Amino acid sequence: MSFNIITKHISMPDGKEIQIETGKLAKQADGAVVVKSGNMMLLATVVANKEAKEGVDFLPLSVDYQEKFASNGRIPGSFLKREARLSDYEILISRLVDRALRPTFPDDYHADVQVLINLISADSEVLPDAFVGLAAAAALAVSDIPFNGPISEVRVAKINGVYKVNPSVSELVGASLELIVAANANDILMVEGEGDEVSETEMLEALRIAHDAIKLQCQALNELTVACGKTEKRTYSHESHNEELRAELWKNYYEKYLAVAKQANPKKDERKAAFKAIVDEYIATLPEDHLVNLSMAKTYLHDIEKEAARQLVLQERYRLDGRKLNEIRQITCEVDYLPTPHGSSVFTRGETQSLTTVTLGTKMDEQIIDQPMTQGYNKFMLHYNFPGFSTGEVKPNRGVGRREVGHGNLAMRAIRKVLPKMEDFPYTLRIVSDILESNGSSSMATVCAGTLALMDAGVKIKAPVSGIAMGLISDAKTGKYAVLSDILGDEDHLGDMDFKVTGTENGITACQMDIKVQGLSYEVLVEALSQAKEGRLHILNEMKKAIPQVREDFKPQTPRATVIKIMKDQIGAVIGPGGKVVQDIQKQSGATVTIEEKEDGGYVSVFSANSAAMDHAVRMIKGIVTIPEVGEVYDGKVKNIQAFGAFVEFLPGKDGLLHISEISWDRIETMDGVFKEGDKVKVKLVEVDKKTGKFRLSAKVLLPKPERSSENSDN
């Protein structure tokens, strides 16, 4: 079989080469490409239905990214031994691509579109998530599916003061700032990433460098479209309109919507009811035999409501709930709300509320990571839950959705930057945020509540972190715009930007941005970042009123933990044959003991909520690993009695011979009645046999030596 293979090479400024190939694999898809960098290869396909389903007035886009275990020469570790549902990591990458693609499709295109990206070959030094957006956009570029692209995505990181695009895995270890940026040739569309308390200036410089790299990739995609003969896209007609009805509704109802918006009602339900009353009023005016398409009419009325709210902000410079543009809603913070968890908090901002808990667990609570490119353990987890009642809705509880995964990941990124060094932290740490009420950014509420709960738990974080969601409303015709602090749910829907920023007093720890409008200038971003910093610091001050600093100690119910470092050749002694020794330590002490081998030695972790149990376990472990020293005195236990003496355990697992002649200064003829097994006896290590390594003990040297009588001395 002959293939019409078309290949495009992209040379990046740092000399790295990216190859895009089409025409060889998956030819029945509307568009299919293989993107290669090093040994990393992605297969991206896109298929779209020719027609939209009846009644659908949105874009039914699905994006799935999956890493094949075979790509890295591995077999899945699950019971089924095959790829199953997408992991949280794969869901997060899918969301990055979705957020970049979705606003780039035509607004009136409503056919089902499915984008699938598979990692088919892995490279240990090439992170595939930086190329997934490029692969998806390339598949669209070689198809006839209507798309206002091209777009692309890159990773940009600041490493030792130098910005790098798509750095290698080893380079990324030392990054102080890491962002995934999506853009088209003219505008930035999406940003997500984290930093080590970086400045707003550093963030903007990273965006500029990322955008320059994306422009190169977009140019290559345009050239690929021409080479494939796909400049002409398929025709479609997914919407019908009644311009006469639209004009009539705008004429009759715009002022009514504007009047409701101007009421500046801070309560979401009352605003919603007031806007709905306008729709009900219109429907009530229609005769029974009307021919009006109600679905179409409601769409137009919704558009009017949205524009009225936008113009309220642009013209009057205040918002639906009456706040000024940079005003933060009332904040209430409370810690130690729950008596049993290791840390807890309630954070309420306006009509958004998070109840958050912190749990400190043992090493055995670590999360096992088994992914094609990543294996190991995770000691820090943040889980975000968004039940239906938080917005007054009835919603089936079907498990965690992609939105919950994404929001939890953003909060996790924000807080992770201020945690103690996890490899040295003896606990497994889990934060759970349950959203109890929502009107505005619940992910930012999670960041604030998570910080408060950590401080309440006594976890020594570097600094408190707060978060704020910023919005933007702009008018391209007049050039007017307004940057909004602490946006409402309504403002998220009607605005042109959703920009979430988290950080400490010193700088930014994480950000997430979705831009819905073209032509957003860097000057507006500068203003948004500056206004976000003001809001972030205000929220931090409110949080400090509840708990000014981290608690000095953990709560009484928190298990205490300590780590004892031992030499590698001592690990076996602590574990014992078949785990007998470590099991005995746990049984006798009541503490939990785990052992981990690292490059520089063994690490024995001991956990217990009882200090006596902890001390007992530590003594036993130290006894095992302590190297006996001649001349040291030990508290021993008689383990075995022989005619010539007794074997005494003077350190855990270490027995020595207490010869009959070393028990007392007086002559002992027989061992009968001298000791019984289990007796305690204080002994001194007097010799270690150089050939056998056996220990010789003495008890009499610790006793006063009797003075000889004069009669005996004369003899």
Side-chain angles (χ1 to χ4, degrees):
M1 177 183 287
S2 61
F3 298 100
N4 181 24
I5 300 174
I6 299 172
T7 304
K8 185 68 185 176
H9 294 272
I10 306 174
S11 296
M12 301 303 291
D14 61 355
K16 292 178 182 175
E17 192 87 1
I18 302 172
Q19 176 186 297
I20 306 175
E21 177 188 273
T22 187
K24 186 172 184 178
L25 301 185
K27 297 192 299 301
Q28 293 189 46
D30 289 329
V33 298
V34 173
V35 172
K36 183 177 182 181
S37 177
N39 289 329
M40 188 281 302
M41 296 173 68
L42 294 166
L43 170 63
T45 61
V46 59
V47 177
N49 288 342
K50 295 295 190 292
E51 300 295 336
K53 293 178 181 177
E54 187 176 351
V56 174
D57 60 355
F58 61 94
L59 175 66
L61 171 67
S62 65
V63 179
D64 289 322
Y65 167 70
Q66 188 169 43
E67 296 182 344
K68 301 295 185 180
F69 275 79
S71 69
N72 204 23
R74 294 189 54 228
I75 294 174
S78 65
F79 178 77
L80 295 175
K81 295 298 179 184
R82 68 178 297 165
E83 287 81 4
R85 66 176 292 275
L86 300 187
S87 67
D88 283 2
Y89 171 75
E90 290 166 328
I91 287 172
L92 293 168
I93 305 309
S94 300
R95 279 174 53 86
L96 289 178
V97 179
D98 186 298
R99 287 161 49 201
L101 295 183
R102 191 174 293 274
T104 313
F105 281 90
D107 292 337
D108 59 352
Y109 188 71
H110 305 318
D112 284 271
V113 181
Q114 184 179 44
V115 179
L116 300 176
I117 312 107
N118 290 319
L119 177 68
I120 56 176
S121 179
D123 186 321
S124 61
E125 279 298 303
V126 180
L127 287 164
D129 58 350
F131 300 87
V132 173
L134 170 62
L140 284 161
V142 301
S143 77
D144 66 345
I145 299 171
F147 185 67
N148 298 325
I151 65 99
S152 191
E153 289 180 353
V154 299
R155 170 180 275 105
V156 60
K158 188 175 184 181
I159 304 167
N160 298 323
V162 178
Y163 293 93
K164 291 191 175 184
V165 174
N166 293 344
S168 66
V169 173
S170 55
E171 288 175 327
L172 198 57
V173 172
S176 60
L177 172 64
E178 178 196 349
L179 302 175
I180 291 283
V181 182
N184 57 33
N186 300 312
D187 304 302
I188 290 175
L189 303 172
M190 188 278 303
V191 180
E192 178 143 351
E194 58 188 78
D196 294 332
E197 299 178 280
V198 300
S199 68
E200 286 73 12
T201 302
E202 290 175 279
M203 182 78 68
L204 288 168
E205 182 62 19
L207 293 180
R208 288 191 180 96
I209 291 171
H211 199 188
D212 287 342
I214 288 171
K215 289 175 183 177
L216 282 176
Q217 296 180 359
C218 288
Q219 180 183 344
L221 292 180
N222 279 329
E223 294 170 359
L224 184 63
T225 299
V226 173
C228 294
K230 295 294 183 179
T231 55
E232 292 295 325
K233 303 299 181 180
R234 69 179 66 163
T235 58
Y236 66 94
S237 179
H238 296 163
E239 288 187 1
S240 59
H241 290 284
N242 184 332
E243 296 301 333
E244 183 179 343
L245 174 63
R246 191 205 302 262
E248 178 188 347
L249 292 174
W250 273 85
K251 178 182 177 182
N252 295 334
Y253 290 97
Y254 175 77
E255 291 299 330
K256 293 185 178 183
Y257 274 108
L258 186 60
V260 171
K262 285 183 176 180
Q263 290 176 6
N265 193 328
K267 295 185 178 180
K268 177 178 71 173
D269 289 344
E270 293 180 6
R271 285 198 311 272
K272 185 177 179 180
F275 283 129
K276 184 178 181 298
I278 299 175
V279 179
D280 295 340
E281 176 190 335
Y282 166 70
I283 294 174
T285 64
L286 297 174
E288 291 186 6
D289 58 347
H290 73 84
L291 299 177
V292 174
N293 184 324
L294 283 180
S295 177
M296 188 179 293
K298 288 179 179 179
T299 298
Y300 295 153
L301 289 171
H302 179 267
D303 292 342
I304 297 169
E305 176 188 333
K306 180 177 177 180
E307 186 59 24
R310 288 170 60 86
Q311 289 303 319
L312 171 73
V313 174
L314 291 172
Q315 302 299 331
E316 306 295 336
R317 310 304 286 180
Y318 70 92
R319 300 152 70 176
L320 284 172
D321 60 353
R323 282 183 294 149
K324 298 175 184 178
L325 303 187
N326 65 345
E327 187 176 348
I328 312 297
R329 286 170 290 178
Q330 182 179 349
I331 292 171
T332 304
C333 304
E334 183 178 352
V335 297
D336 201 22
Y337 179 73
L338 302 173
T340 306
H342 303 152
S344 65
S345 70
V346 179
F347 177 86
T348 308
R349 185 196 63 241
E351 295 176 300
T352 299
Q353 186 177 71
S354 170
L355 171 63
T356 294
T357 57
V358 164
T359 306
L360 297 170
T362 71
K363 179 173 176 56
M364 291 185 292
D365 295 313
E366 290 181 2
Q367 181 184 27
I368 300 173
I369 305 297
D370 182 29
Q371 296 171 352
M373 292 192 64
T374 308
Q375 290 178 278
Y377 297 88
N378 176 30
K379 293 179 66 175
F380 172 47
M381 295 158 280
L382 191 150
H383 296 144
Y384 164 100
N385 300 312
F386 192 84
F389 67 76
S390 65
T391 53
E393 297 174 280
V394 176
K395 187 174 72 173
N397 187 5
R398 296 287 185 262
V400 177
R402 291 191 176 194
R403 179 183 178 276
E404 284 87 342
V405 173
H407 280 47
N409 180 70
L410 176 59
M412 182 274 294
R413 283 175 176 262
I415 292 174
R416 180 171 61 187
K417 291 297 183 180
V418 298
L419 291 177
K421 196 174 179 181
M422 292 308 290
E423 50 264 41
D424 299 329
F425 192 60
Y427 293 98
T428 296
L429 175 61
R430 182 179 185 232
I431 300 174
V432 179
S433 170
D434 289 301
I435 303 303
L436 307 184
E437 190 178 356
S438 180
N439 180 21
S441 177
S442 52
S443 62
M444 296 298 93
T446 296
V447 171
C448 301
T451 296
L452 291 169
L454 284 169
M455 296 173 73
D456 178 52
V459 177
K460 299 299 188 288
I461 58 175
K462 187 190 303 183
V465 181
S466 68
I468 187 169
M470 308 295 295
L472 173 73
I473 294 176
S474 61
D475 189 333
K477 295 179 181 178
T478 63
K480 289 185 177 181
Y481 69 90
V483 177
L484 311 179
S485 297
D486 179 24
I487 58 174
L488 302 166
D490 291 340
E491 291 170 335
D492 183 12
H493 170 66
L494 62 87
D496 300 320
M497 178 181 72
D498 178 14
F499 192 5
K500 299 181 177 73
V501 188
T502 73
T504 67
E505 291 180 341
N506 299 320
I508 296 169
T509 59
C511 74
Q512 183 184 89
M513 179 169 62
D514 293 295
I515 300 173
K516 312 166 193 175
V517 65
Q518 294 183 353
L520 182 65
S521 68
Y522 280 100
E523 288 71 22
V524 175
L525 282 178
V526 170
E527 183 176 333
L529 281 167
S530 175
Q531 194 166 312
K533 183 177 182 180
E534 293 176 5
R536 201 175 74 233
L537 295 178
H538 167 77
I539 295 169
L540 275 174
N541 287 332
E542 294 299 311
M543 292 165 59
K544 288 179 180 179
K545 293 177 183 178
I547 182 165
Q549 58 190 17
V550 177
R551 295 195 188 281
E552 288 296 325
D553 194 10
F554 299 124
K555 294 185 179 181
Q557 66 267 33
T558 304
R560 268 38 180 182
T562 188
V563 178
I564 304 168
K565 184 179 178 182
I566 63 177
M567 293 185 292
K568 281 189 176 183
D569 59 5
Q570 295 176 324
I571 295 175
V574 178
I575 296 174
K580 184 177 183 301
V581 174
V582 70
Q583 290 170 11
D584 189 53
I585 294 172
Q586 293 183 109
K587 184 178 179 180
Q588 288 191 40
S589 67
T592 299
V593 180
T594 63
I595 304 157
E596 182 181 14
E597 182 177 352
K598 297 183 180 180
E599 291 184 3
D600 58 342
Y603 289 79
V604 184
S605 300
V606 185
F607 301 87
S608 179
N610 184 297
S611 59
M614 168 78 76
D615 293 342
H616 188 180
V618 169
R619 281 197 304 272
M620 293 182 72
I621 294 164
K622 287 186 174 179
I624 295 170
V625 301
T626 299
I627 299 174
E629 294 184 22
V630 174
E632 284 293 316
V633 178
Y634 300 96
D635 292 319
K637 179 192 290 187
V638 177
K639 302 292 286 186
N640 184 266
I641 301 172
Q642 300 292 329
F644 50 83
F647 287 97
V648 175
E649 184 182 53
F650 63 97
L651 284 173
K654 295 181 176 63
D655 295 347
L657 174 63
L658 179 60
H659 193 269
I660 191 171
S661 63
E662 293 294 331
I663 297 174
S664 172
W665 291 106
D666 296 327
R667 182 179 178 83
I668 299 176
E669 299 292 341
T670 176
M671 289 295 295
D672 292 342
V674 178
F675 290 127
K676 62 179 181 295
E677 290 186 6
D679 280 354
K680 302 292 181 64
V681 56
K682 191 177 288 293
V683 294
K684 183 177 184 178
L685 179 60
V686 294
E687 183 184 1
V688 179
D689 191 289
K690 294 181 180 180
K691 291 184 179 180
T692 64
K694 292 181 178 180
F695 305 107
R696 188 165 69 85
L697 307 174
S698 175
K700 74 179 185 181
V701 296
L702 301 176
L703 301 173
K705 187 175 181 180
E707 296 181 5
R708 293 185 176 185
S709 63
S710 57
E711 182 182 345
N712 291 337
S713 60
D714 290 339
N715 293 335

